[in-house]
Amino acid sequence: MKRSMAILLLSAIILTSYTAAPKTTSAASSSAQKVVSGHINSGVNLRDKPSTSGNIISSLKKDSDVVVLERSNDYFYKVQTSQGQIGYVSSAEKYISVSGSGTAPGGSGSGVGQAWTGLVIYGVNFRDQPSTSGKIVTLLKKGTSLTILEKTNSAFYKVKTENGKVGYVSSSDKYMTVSGGTQVPTPNPTPSESVNKQVELVIKAGMKYLGTPYEYGSDRNTTLTFDCSDFVRQAFKDALNLVLPADSRGQGTWVKNNSKAVYSTKDLKRGDLMFFMSYKGSSASAYAGVNKATERITHVGIYLGDGQILQTYSTKSGGVRTDKLDGAWVHRFLYGGSVVK
């Protein structure tokens, strides 16, 4: 009887220890995880989606801190504020600096932290550019081992040799076998590259509507005709799935609330929206003494750079077109600003 009781007691102790062990292990694993923190460098919007079309939840102030949960895409981090709010902020260095693990965790298998190696199986040229037009630095022989830094484009890897030289080789499996994971990391575009890419998409979307007839108060649900704000809205919707306000005054307010307004045409950048007051004449004297701060926005267009504007403003003018930014357009200009950032 005593022996049976002792066995039962021992079994209970073992069972208790076994069931408690996973909790201890889990706690240890949790405490070992690195926290990726973000410091807000400049006021930035916290959105409900990783896109500039996401609704603004709140505005994060300069010098506030957040926890970075993941890098959701090339342009946005998913973050948690000190108040517990979870949302998305621009990943541009202008707005946030990240620390804690060197990079934010990727949301879709970025390959961060993995060592990628390549073994040359057939002699391949080592070039100074990721293109067949790049200068050949040397020929890498069969059996050469390389560290793969990234897949720069569809045809080339950026690699480092054992003696530390960095260059580019063909990514064709005819020349090299790759080990270290299932996906070689691709380079993240810099903030300026990301913005430039978005701007070009918007302009390309707008240019496809050249010649589309003008109609004041056009139907926002069709692309058969446009007025000025309908055209601008459609270009951003087509290119970025970003839906701006339906009228030019609303778009002007949107730019002021979400970007930085500029009041000189010299400060405009390609892709910026431009807002204008009513036409009062073609000469500068017609606008003398006008207080632009109190003038209402009556027209909007997209700045193309090099003194050109993409816009639509009357039936007689022929609909969507490009114009030189001169004469009355300069005199009527109120302010402009970026939509993408």
Side-chain angles (χ1 to χ4, degrees), residues 39-45 60-64 71 75 77 89-98 190-192 195 255 258-262 269 272 337-341:
H39 182 75
I40 304 302
N41 301 320
S42 179
V44 63
N45 291 321
L60 303 183
K61 295 181 179 180
K62 180 180 178 181
D63 292 330
S64 59
R71 181 156 192 158
Y75 316 117
Y77 288 133
V89 299
S90 169
S91 60
E93 292 178 0
K94 170 184 176 181
Y95 298 107
I96 185 172
S97 54
V98 174
T190 63
S192 60
V195 168
V255 165
N258 292 272
S259 186
K260 180 181 178 181
V262 295
K269 303 186 297 297
D272 281 2
S338 302
V339 172
V340 296
K341 55 184 181 179

Side-chain angles (χ1 to χ4, degrees), residues 3 26 87 171 186 255 280 315:
R3 184 180 179 187
S26 176
S171 60
T186 55
V255 165
K280 301 181 186 299
T315 304

Side-chain angles (χ1 to χ4, degrees), residues 279-290:
Y279 178 79
K280 301 181 186 299
S282 58
S283 65
S285 60
Y287 301 86
V290 171

Side-chain angles (χ1 to χ4, degrees), residues 264-278:
S264 169
T265 56
K266 294 179 182 179
D267 295 326
L268 290 167
K269 303 186 297 297
R270 181 170 168 85
D272 281 2
L273 295 191
M274 300 183 67
F275 301 98
F276 301 88
M277 68 170 116
S278 297

Side-chain angles (χ1 to χ4, degrees), residues 40-81:
I40 304 302
N41 301 320
S42 179
V44 63
N45 291 321
L46 180 72
R47 299 180 182 271
D48 65 353
K49 292 191 298 185
S51 164
T52 50
S53 63
N55 294 323
I56 298 172
I57 300 170
S58 65
S59 179
L60 303 183
K61 295 181 179 180
K62 180 180 178 181
D63 292 330
S64 59
D65 292 298
V66 295
V67 175
V68 180
L69 303 177
E70 68 173 31
R71 181 156 192 158
S72 302
N73 54 39
D74 288 339
Y75 316 117
F76 280 84
Y77 288 133
K78 184 178 183 180
V79 303
Q80 184 174 22
T81 69

Side-chain angles (χ1 to χ4, degrees), residues 28-273:
S29 299
S30 177
S31 64
Q33 292 177 351
K34 291 183 177 180
V35 174
V36 183
S37 60
H39 182 75
I40 304 302
N41 301 320
S42 179
V44 63
N45 291 321
L46 180 72
R47 299 180 182 271
D48 65 353
K49 292 191 298 185
S51 164
T52 50
S53 63
N55 294 323
I56 298 172
I57 300 170
S58 65
S59 179
L60 303 183
K61 295 181 179 180
K62 180 180 178 181
D63 292 330
S64 59
D65 292 298
V66 295
V67 175
V68 180
L69 303 177
E70 68 173 31
R71 181 156 192 158
S72 302
N73 54 39
D74 288 339
Y75 316 117
F76 280 84
Y77 288 133
K78 184 178 183 180
V79 303
Q80 184 174 22
T81 69
S82 57
Q83 290 79 35
Q85 283 184 310
I86 293 178
Y88 302 87
V89 299
S90 169
S91 60
E93 292 178 0
K94 170 184 176 181
Y95 298 107
I96 185 172
S97 54
V98 174
S99 62
S101 66
T103 185
S108 57
S110 61
V112 173
Q114 300 181 38
W116 296 86
T117 58
L119 181 66
V120 177
I121 57 175
Y122 192 90
V124 64
N125 289 322
F126 182 71
R127 300 179 183 271
D128 66 349
Q129 296 292 328
S131 165
T132 52
S133 62
K135 181 181 177 182
I136 299 172
V137 179
T138 187
L139 176 69
L140 300 179
K141 296 180 180 179
K142 180 180 178 180
T144 302
S145 182
L146 303 167
T147 299
I148 299 179
L149 304 176
E150 67 180 29
K151 187 165 185 177
T152 306
N153 55 39
S154 61
F156 279 84
Y157 288 134
K158 184 177 183 180
V159 300
K160 183 166 68 173
T161 67
E162 291 180 331
N163 60 7
K165 289 184 178 180
V166 174
Y168 302 88
V169 299
S170 170
S171 60
S172 170
D173 55 14
K174 170 185 175 181
Y175 298 105
M176 188 166 55
T177 58
V178 176
S179 60
T182 57
Q183 181 184 353
V184 176
T186 55
N188 285 325
T190 63
S192 60
E193 288 173 339
S194 300
V195 168
N196 291 341
K197 182 178 179 181
Q198 292 180 78
V199 165
E200 295 309 316
L201 288 173
V202 170
I203 290 173
K204 182 179 179 181
M207 293 294 278
K208 75 181 180 183
Y209 291 114
L210 285 173
T212 300
Y214 177 87
E215 180 189 12
Y216 179 75
S218 56
D219 186 347
R220 267 52 179 165
N221 296 313
T222 78
T223 58
L224 299 177
T225 60
F226 292 119
D227 63 16
C228 63
S229 53
D230 186 16
F231 165 64
V232 166
R233 185 173 185 261
Q234 191 67 45
F236 281 89
K237 184 178 179 181
D238 287 357
L240 306 177
N241 196 30
L242 170 59
V243 181
L244 292 171
D247 63 89
S248 59
R249 283 183 285 279
Q251 291 169 2
T253 300
W254 192 97
V255 165
K256 281 190 172 181
N257 290 341
N258 292 272
S259 186
K260 180 181 178 181
V262 295
Y263 295 89
S264 169
T265 56
K266 294 179 182 179
D267 295 326
L268 290 167
K269 303 186 297 297
R270 181 170 168 85
D272 281 2
L273 295 191

